[in-house]
Amino acid sequence: MSEEELVECSRKTMPLSPINFLEQASTVYGDNISIIFNDNVRFSWRQTHQRCLKLASALLNLGLSHKDN
């Protein structure tokens, strides 16, 4: 196996973080439904990704970080 094939293989087996998952789902399945709540509220993967980014931004603006408990 060549070095190039090993690098490609290692990329495919990297763990998927929640952030990476949302980015990938938004890109691949953007218009597909990700959340259904009470039969009348629906969000696409793209909307879910955007809402998570807004929440993260709001938390940062409040001065919270990943080190806070």
Side-chain angles (χ1 to χ4, degrees), residues 5-33:
E5 289 171 320
L6 286 174
V7 169
E8 184 64 29
C9 182
S10 67
R11 280 190 208 135
K12 292 179 184 175
T13 59
M14 291 176 68
L16 192 60
S17 74
I19 300 301
N20 291 340
F21 172 80
L22 281 173
E23 290 172 352
Q24 189 172 6
S26 175
T27 301
V28 176
Y29 302 107
D31 294 328
N32 291 0
I33 299 298

Side-chain angles (χ1 to χ4, degrees), residues 2-69:
S2 72
E3 184 177 337
E4 191 173 298
E5 289 171 320
L6 286 174
V7 169
E8 184 64 29
C9 182
S10 67
R11 280 190 208 135
K12 292 179 184 175
T13 59
M14 291 176 68
L16 192 60
S17 74
I19 300 301
N20 291 340
F21 172 80
L22 281 173
E23 290 172 352
Q24 189 172 6
S26 175
T27 301
V28 176
Y29 302 107
D31 294 328
N32 291 0
I33 299 298
S34 62
I35 297 172
I36 300 173
F37 180 73
N38 284 342
D39 295 329
N40 60 350
V41 178
R42 295 170 186 261
F43 294 102
S44 69
W45 281 109
R46 189 172 291 113
Q47 290 171 313
T48 300
H49 181 236
Q50 288 300 312
R51 288 169 57 89
C52 288
L53 291 176
K54 285 181 182 180
L55 174 61
S57 177
L59 293 174
L60 285 174
N61 287 334
L62 290 172
L64 299 175
S65 74
H66 69 279
K67 296 177 185 177
D68 295 327
N69 289 324

